[in-house]
Amino acid sequence: MVLMSWVALFVLAGCGGSNDPEVPTAAEAGATLKEHINRTLEGAQAKTIEVTDPGGRDVPCGEGKVKRTYAATARNDIGSGDPNSMLLVMVGALDIVAEYELNAPGQPTVQDLVNKEYKTHIVLSSPAEHVMVIRGETDCLPPG
């Protein structure tokens, strides 16, 4: 009976967990990044999507850690298509996908955003009328 109590105590102690969230592998965070970017383009009603960086490979970044990247460009033919509007459309679509915070001061046609939970970083931009560009990378994480 005493042994069962000790086992239960150790199991409960292990289930309590720490306050640190589980760190994903680069592959896991890379899959999340790709999903966030694709869902953002879908939500922004993007047309003629072209994947410019398919990612899927580990990029070394020191201390045995790696990062993953992913990027795409697209068009949105709704409205005037001015770059400021395109950026607002992408920011609104990304807000529905996941909570990202401003990482650096925004420029009129570029937003640099980060999600600490998912260990992802996304840059939204519109370099020309009706053009949407989204590129992202993960933090430096354990490979996997």
Side-chain angles (χ1 to χ4, degrees), residues 17-96:
S18 66
N19 291 334
D20 294 337
E22 185 177 319
V23 175
T25 64
E28 292 167 337
T32 299
L33 176 69
K34 183 177 180 177
E35 177 188 354
H36 287 179
I37 290 174
N38 288 338
R39 287 179 54 204
T40 298
L41 288 170
E42 180 182 305
Q45 300 179 5
K47 307 289 182 222
T48 54
I49 298 169
E50 178 186 346
V51 175
T52 56
D53 176 1
R57 63 181 178 82
D58 291 341
V59 178
C61 52
E63 298 180 21
K65 294 185 178 182
V66 297
K67 63 183 174 181
R68 294 277 177 111
T69 60
Y70 185 76
T73 63
R75 290 191 54 82
N76 176 317
D77 293 327
I78 298 172
S80 68
D82 70 279
N84 290 331
S85 296
M86 292 295 95
L87 187 60
L88 288 174
V89 167
M90 288 186 288
V91 168
L94 181 59
D95 277 347
I96 294 169

